[in-house]
Amino acid sequence: RSNRAGQRGDDDDDPFNVNNFFQAMQTQSTVITSDRVNLEVQPLPAAGQPKNFSGLVGDFQIVAAADEYTVKMGEPLNIKVKVEGSGHAGSLENLNVAWPADFEQYEDKSVTTFNRLGTTERVFDYMLLPRNKGKFEIPAIEVSMFNPQTRSYLTRASLPIKIDVLEGSLGNTYVAKPGS
C-alpha cells in the first residue's frame, strides 16, 4: 500500500486506526461453568445464643470513638463504631446502643467495606446532640456473634466513651442543612 506523507492508511497494526479502536471496544459474552458443589447449611445452635444476637457470623472486633470528647450543649457530636473481622460484617444491620438520656440521636449512617483476605468492616456513624451540660458516659457497645471456627457464641464490646458537655450559648443549637 502506498500512503501519502502524513496520512494514515487502513493498516491493521496502526494504533490510530479508528476501526481497530471500536473493534477492541466490542463486548463479548462467555459462559463459564464449574463442577457442582453441594453445600450442607446447618442452622445456628439455639443453645448459648445471647439475647442480643443479631445473626452476625464470624469473628469480629468492635471499637468506638468520638470525634470530640468535650463539646458544648447543642453542638453535634459524632461517634463512629467499627465492627471488623472475618465474616460478612454487612449482615449486621444496626447496633443497640444505650445513649445517655441527655443525648438526642439525630442521624445514623453505616457503610460496609470488603477488605483483602476475606475480612470485612462495617462502620456506623452516629450524630448526637447533647441537651444538658455535665459529664456523661456512653456505655460499652456490644456485638454478639456466632464463630463457626469455635462453633460457639461470643460477645465483644467497645470501651465506654466519656464525654464532657459544657454550657453552650444561645446560638449553639445545631440546625440541619437541607439535604443532610
Side-chain angles (χ1 to χ4, degrees), residues 20-114:
N20 286 344
F21 174 77
F22 285 112
Q23 286 174 353
M25 298 300 290
Q26 293 176 352
T27 59
Q28 296 179 357
S29 296
T30 304
V31 177
I32 299 174
T33 59
S34 68
D35 295 333
R36 176 171 278 215
V37 176
N38 291 321
L39 299 175
E40 181 182 339
V41 179
Q42 299 177 353
L44 295 174
Q49 190 176 89
K51 289 181 184 178
N52 65 347
F53 179 65
S54 64
L56 187 61
V57 176
D59 188 11
F60 297 92
Q61 300 297 321
I62 181 170
V63 294
D67 64 342
E68 308 244 358
Y69 295 91
T70 301
V71 295
K72 292 183 179 177
M73 290 177 0
E75 292 183 347
L77 169 67
N78 293 298
I79 305 289
K80 286 191 187 270
V81 181
K82 180 168 75 169
V83 177
E84 179 179 32
S86 62
H88 183 25
S91 65
L92 183 61
E93 292 186 24
N94 57 38
L95 296 170
N96 292 320
V97 183
W99 303 116
D102 293 295
F103 286 41
E104 178 183 342
Q105 182 182 336
Y106 192 82
E107 176 178 89
D108 69 340
K109 301 181 277 188
S110 62
V111 64
T112 302
T113 306
F114 295 87

Side-chain angles (χ1 to χ4, degrees), residues 3 7 11 18-19 35 41 43 58 67 84 101 116 148 153 157 160 172:
N3 291 337
Q7 272 192 328
D11 187 1
V18 174
N19 290 330
D35 295 333
V41 179
D67 64 342
E84 179 179 32
R116 294 181 184 193
Y153 291 97
N172 284 348

Side-chain angles (χ1 to χ4, degrees), residues 99-105 129-136 165:
W99 303 116
D102 293 295
F103 286 41
E104 178 183 342
Q105 182 182 336
L129 295 176
R131 295 295 180 199
N132 294 303
K133 72 176 187 170
K135 295 189 182 298
F136 298 93
V165 180

